[in-house]
Amino acid sequence: MKGTKLISVDSLLLACLALGFLHSCPSVFAETDEAGAEADSETPQEKLLVIMLDGFRWDYYDLHKKHLNAFQHFISEGVHVEWVEPIFPPVSYPSWTTVSTGVFPETHGVIGNYMFDLNISDPTQAVFDIFTHETTSKIEWWQNSEPIWTTATRYGKKTFLRFWSRCDVPFNEVKPFECTPYREARGTENIRQTFNIAVQKLKQDFDLVMVYGEHIDNIGHKYGPNSNELKQALIDVNNMLNELLDQLIDSQMDEKVNIVILSDHGMTWTGMGSGVQYISLDSQIDKSEVYRSVDRGSFMAIAPFAKHLDSVYQRLLKVEGVDVYKREEIPDEYHYKNARLAQDILVVAKEKYFIRGLLTSKQIPRDKESNYVWEGNHGYPNMPDMRGVFFAKGPAFKKGIIHKPIHLEDVYQIFARILDIPAGPHNGSWSRVSHMLVNRAVPSVHSAFTSTLALAFIACRLAILFLLEDNSS
Ligand SMILES: *[C@@H]1O[C@H](CO)[C@@H](O)[C@H](O)[C@H]1NC(C)=O
Ligand SMILES: *[C@@H]1O[C@H](CO)[C@@H](O)[C@H](O)[C@H]1NC(C)=O
């Protein structure tokens, strides 16, 4: 009798030790990807300022750091991520939408700066064109995934956006508190003004301020990533960032505001002397077989007439410098092909190639000249030059951290966490970003689980005490 009881005490003891180990080892669970932002009453109310600097390539900082003291300040006082892996295609609207929703383009549906919906019979309604703002304002483009500003607004946060994507288009009938949507706002003065307004809003009772500046991207396209003009653009933005930081100190907000600076994608040199070949597909395919061709440069989506799909495809396979895919052949890791608006054929330029738009009214958009050269371009897959930046500082972030690379789809959950609102279903990975944040109560998925473990552990120990007592009597 005594023997059997002792064995059960031993095995119970082992079970208890195992539970105790799990319970005191939160890292096992803290790393799970399910752990997004969950309401947590102990989190202090903090503000979040997100500054998106279009086309800020990951290594611009290293190349010019002695001129970029505002960014140095972020590194000593906060977090510098080595680089941000872009999504495909690494161009503005798809990337902006991944930043705000945390999902890949095939899920949020905004797969290009230009898109064409074959199911809309009126061609003027079927086009999405980044520079024709009436076309991007259509509600239907934007209803797949909820942007962070909508979630924040629904949770009672006061939200402000300036030049940020189509923040003016309601999601599920909810609009942010205040928003100016994307429009061309070129030059440095626009950035200074935007930064000033951001500070004003933070001084008021806004919780989430998201602002956008395109200067660095504009200069990168026009003069190239290696130009003096680009270096000057970085210095100008750096100086304006210093003004913003000073204003936050003056208003005693520098310790209270979390600031994230990120870019949507990088930039590669495609200008004279770069060795990039500009190729035209006009003579390679029979344009009468094509219904629409969408975008150009690093990739082109082609909608052939159905009966000519194979003919167009076979001809394109012979073209040098491009990868050609039927929709179902597009690599899974692009997270692109399952989008409703993906066309039947995707042509992707290899490194050192640039695809010119077709010279036909079927081309979206139509370039004014036929032999132009862009000094800089982006949109290429698997190219280090497409990587972006992430700098952050504030009460939510650790100080003085050089952080391993993260992915563009990861940043959404950081925003949700700081704002203390639940993250929607997303494609980010918590384990890639959790280490940059100061230690707080772990998300509730985890807490619920560990509390269960804790209870089990206590019950276990009580049972042992009981058995031991029983034994000794
Ligand atoms: C167009 O509509 C048809 C019928 O509803 C559907 O099967 C098809 O997938 C749609 N195509 C696109 C590109 O939305
Ligand atoms: C991305 O997340 C969405 C929403 O949870 C999901 O539907 C989709 O399958 C995910 N994509 C991948 C490649 O995991």
Side-chain angles (χ1 to χ4, degrees):
M1 265 323 260
K2 244 183 171 180
T4 42
K5 243 184 199 168
L6 275 177
I7 287 167
S8 60
V9 169
D10 278 353
S11 46
L12 252 178
L13 198 59
L14 268 177
C16 291
L17 279 174
L19 276 174
F21 170 75
L22 283 176
H23 178 228
S24 59
C25 189
S27 62
V28 175
F29 305 105
E31 303 289 314
T32 59
D33 285 357
E34 289 76 13
E38 292 289 336
D40 174 356
S41 53
E42 279 158 41
T43 312
Q45 287 301 309
E46 290 164 2
K47 292 174 186 254
L48 173 61
L49 167 62
V50 183
I51 301 174
M52 184 157 61
L53 298 174
D54 196 319
F56 195 132
R57 193 171 81 188
W58 71 291
D59 58 350
Y60 283 170
Y61 170 74
D62 265 341
L63 293 169
H64 302 289
K65 63 177 147 206
K66 59 175 181 289
H67 306 288
L68 304 178
N69 62 345
F71 292 94
Q72 277 169 27
H73 177 72
F74 272 79
I75 297 177
S76 57
E77 292 301 303
V79 177
H80 179 208
V81 169
E82 286 176 288
W83 70 77
V84 179
E85 279 298 330
I87 46 112
F88 180 82
V91 298
S92 294
Y93 262 119
S95 304
W96 301 346
T97 314
T98 291
V99 168
S100 61
T101 62
V103 295
F104 295 124
E106 69 183 354
T107 299
H108 63 58
V110 182
I111 55 168
N113 287 333
Y114 302 90
M115 299 193 288
F116 189 86
D117 187 342
L118 292 172
N119 266 6
I120 296 181
S121 49
D122 174 357
T124 63
Q125 291 295 304
V127 173
F128 179 104
D129 172 342
I130 179 171
F131 295 122
T132 310
H133 303 303
E134 311 87 82
T135 68
T136 57
S137 67
K138 215 167 54 142
I139 265 182
E140 290 76 11
W141 305 121
W142 301 106
Q143 300 307 302
N144 286 6
S145 310
E146 183 172 276
I148 188 86
W149 56 81
T150 308
T151 319
T153 307
R154 285 201 294 109
Y155 276 79
K157 306 282 174 183
K158 210 159 163 192
T159 47
F160 173 85
L161 298 98
R162 183 167 164 87
F163 300 148
W164 194 296
S165 189
R166 290 313 305 234
C167 55
D168 58 327
V169 178
F171 177 88
N172 243 336
E173 298 177 11
V174 179
K175 284 190 187 196
F177 202 83
E178 264 184 60
C179 140
T180 307
Y182 170 67
R183 63 171 168 76
E184 294 89 323
R186 292 171 183 262
T188 50
E189 256 334 285
N190 267 306
I191 298 209
R192 174 173 282 118
Q193 210 180 14
T194 295
F195 284 2
N196 287 340
I197 294 174
V199 173
Q200 280 171 30
K201 297 297 168 185
L202 290 166
K203 281 192 201 167
Q204 297 165 17
D205 53 353
F206 282 84
D207 305 291
L208 172 63
V209 173
M210 302 178 84
V211 297
Y212 164 85
E214 63 174 319
H215 186 55
I216 292 169
D217 183 70
N218 295 157
I219 299 296
H221 278 295
K222 189 164 177 197
Y223 300 100
N226 310 326
S227 62
N228 276 324
E229 287 85 350
L230 191 275
K231 177 178 164 189
Q232 188 58 49
L234 293 169
I235 294 173
D236 292 341
V237 170
N238 176 78
N239 294 344
M240 292 182 283
L241 194 56
N242 273 327
E243 290 170 24
L244 177 140
L245 294 172
D246 284 347
Q247 289 185 58
L248 288 179
I249 292 173
D250 289 347
S251 44
Q252 274 126 41
M253 286 196 306
D254 59 314
E255 301 285 317
K256 295 185 191 128
V257 177
N258 292 294
I259 308 178
V260 171
I261 301 179
L262 82 166
S263 57
D264 43 1
H265 52 71
M267 184 70 69
T268 194
W269 185 29
T270 54
M272 301 289 282
S274 65
V276 169
Q277 283 191 50
Y278 283 63
I279 52 178
S280 299
L281 302 177
D282 292 275
S283 55
Q284 319 265 6
I285 55 178
D286 180 347
K287 281 184 276 181
S288 70
E289 296 180 340
V290 168
Y291 179 61
R292 282 290 185 282
S293 57
V294 185
D295 215 343
R296 76 293 194 217
S298 43
F299 62 93
M300 179 188 278
I302 297 180
F305 288 104
K307 60 175 187 254
H308 298 306
L309 170 61
D310 260 305
S311 157
V312 176
Y313 175 74
Q314 292 302 332
R315 285 168 195 255
L316 285 167
L317 283 179
K318 301 196 182 92
V319 179
E320 191 196 317
V322 298
D323 290 312
V324 185
Y325 305 104
K326 286 190 184 172
R327 185 210 307 250
E328 62 277 12
E329 298 169 345
I330 299 172
D332 287 341
E333 62 269 24
Y334 289 4
H335 303 302
Y336 175 94
K337 68 177 171 199
N338 294 317
R340 185 178 70 85
L341 298 176
Q343 306 296 349
D344 282 348
I345 295 177
L346 180 69
V347 187
V348 182
K350 294 186 173 153
E351 207 168 324
K352 298 283 175 201
Y353 287 88
F354 183 110
I355 307 165
R356 290 189 187 283
L358 298 183
L359 298 171
T360 154
S361 56
K362 299 168 177 182
Q363 171 70 32
I364 303 163
R366 284 206 75 181
D367 295 313
K368 289 189 196 78
E369 303 159 64
S370 59
N371 58 353
Y372 62 89
V373 169
W374 289 357
E375 284 300 316
N377 192 30
H378 49 89
Y380 298 86
N382 309 318
M383 186 191 277
D385 276 356
M386 297 300 110
R387 296 168 179 168
V389 293
F390 183 102
F391 298 87
K393 75 182 228 9
F397 294 97
K398 290 181 184 161
K399 283 192 199 311
I401 303 269
I402 304 290
H403 193 279
K404 284 189 303 219
I406 63 171
H407 294 198
L408 196 67
E409 66 272 17
D410 294 333
V411 302
Y412 163 84
Q413 44 184 341
I414 302 176
F415 300 163
R417 188 64 186 280
I418 292 174
L419 291 166
D420 197 17
I421 58 177
H426 62 84
N427 301 123
S429 150
W430 183 244
S431 60
R432 276 198 297 258
V433 300
S434 57
H435 296 288
M436 71 172 74
L437 298 163
V438 295
N439 225 355
R440 305 177 179 204
V442 281
S444 70
V445 181
H446 171 210
S447 344
F449 188 50
T450 41
S451 352
T452 316
L453 275 178
L455 278 178
F457 184 49
I458 292 166
C460 215
R461 292 185 55 165
L462 281 175
I464 285 193
L465 282 178
F466 175 78
L467 275 175
L468 284 178
E469 212 155 84
D470 194 40
N471 249 4
S472 55
S473 63

